[in-house]
Amino acid sequence: MEENQPKTGKLALIFGGLSGITGIVFSVLLYFMDMQYEQGFAIQVIQFLILATFVVLAIIQFKKSNSGLLKVIEAVKIAPGVAVISFIIGIIWFLLFSNVIEPDFMAKSAEIAKVKTLAENPKMTPEQFDQGMKIQQDFFWVLMCVFMLISAIFATIVGLITGLILKKEDAAY
């Protein structure tokens, strides 16, 4: 039976792709509703729920494909793969969006952030804000790696919880 076991990587690729595409659809919806600059708590929660949903669906599909058997370690293997694939698709979409579809996206986002930050921190000067933005731009790819790591950790936690709930191992006898 073990040679028929589904591959965790294949499921991570499929469901990570579906998660990434769903994230793009959500982003397009925000764009058409003129909410592309909104980064509130609700939008962040929805993005994490999209990822969590596809992690759970990938684990359920693995269990179905594996004759109803699931070890926690298999669930934990699938989850970060889904997150990384989804994140890579999201980054590609973001680069396409911010460079082709809405080329002034970064400048508008920075201006919105500047107004908000200076209003919340009256002691901060515009020069200090600009210096912080310059540092953030210089470390863009480092920040993306950190965000991908956070996404993978979140997915791993979701995978662990899902694996604990759905686990069913082959009888030892």
Side-chain angles (χ1 to χ4, degrees):
M1 174 145 88
E2 204 157 305
E3 58 269 350
N4 292 334
Q5 185 175 14
K7 302 287 185 207
T8 57
K10 182 178 179 183
L11 285 170
L13 183 63
I14 291 167
F15 284 90
L18 291 171
S19 177
I21 291 168
T22 304
I24 291 171
V25 169
F26 180 62
S27 176
V28 169
L29 287 173
L30 291 175
Y31 178 72
F32 284 128
M33 294 175 6
D34 286 328
M35 294 177 64
Q36 68 268 29
Y37 298 104
E38 302 280 329
Q39 289 301 315
F41 181 73
I43 290 174
Q44 299 298 321
V45 167
I46 290 170
Q47 290 172 332
F48 275 106
L49 285 175
I50 290 169
L51 176 59
T53 299
F54 283 98
V55 167
V56 171
L57 290 174
I59 293 168
I60 290 170
Q61 183 60 44
F62 180 89
K63 184 176 179 179
K64 284 181 184 177
S65 301
N66 196 32
S67 305
L69 302 175
L70 176 73
K71 295 178 184 173
V72 175
I73 191 67
E74 293 164 335
V76 171
K77 283 183 186 177
I78 294 169
V82 171
V84 169
I85 298 300
S86 179
F87 195 87
I88 290 170
I89 290 170
I91 287 294
I92 292 168
W93 165 251
F94 174 74
L95 292 173
L96 176 69
F97 178 79
S98 63
N99 289 305
V100 177
I101 298 170
E102 182 92 3
D104 55 344
F105 177 78
M106 296 301 282
K108 284 182 181 178
S109 293
E111 189 57 37
I112 291 168
K114 185 175 190 174
V115 169
K116 182 179 177 185
T117 302
L118 293 176
E120 291 173 354
N121 303 293
K123 293 183 181 180
M124 179 182 277
T125 66
E127 293 78 23
Q128 289 172 322
F129 177 85
D130 292 339
Q131 184 180 15
M133 287 302 291
K134 172 78 171 99
I135 292 169
Q136 195 173 23
Q137 289 171 351
D138 291 343
F139 289 100
F140 175 78
W141 290 109
V142 174
L143 288 172
M144 289 301 105
C145 290
V146 169
F147 292 145
M148 184 166 55
L149 181 62
I150 291 168
S151 181
I153 290 169
F154 170 76
T156 302
I157 293 168
V158 170
L160 176 63
I161 293 168
T162 305
L164 288 169
I165 293 169
L166 299 178
K167 77 176 177 176
K168 181 178 179 190
E169 296 187 22
D170 205 4
Y173 49 91

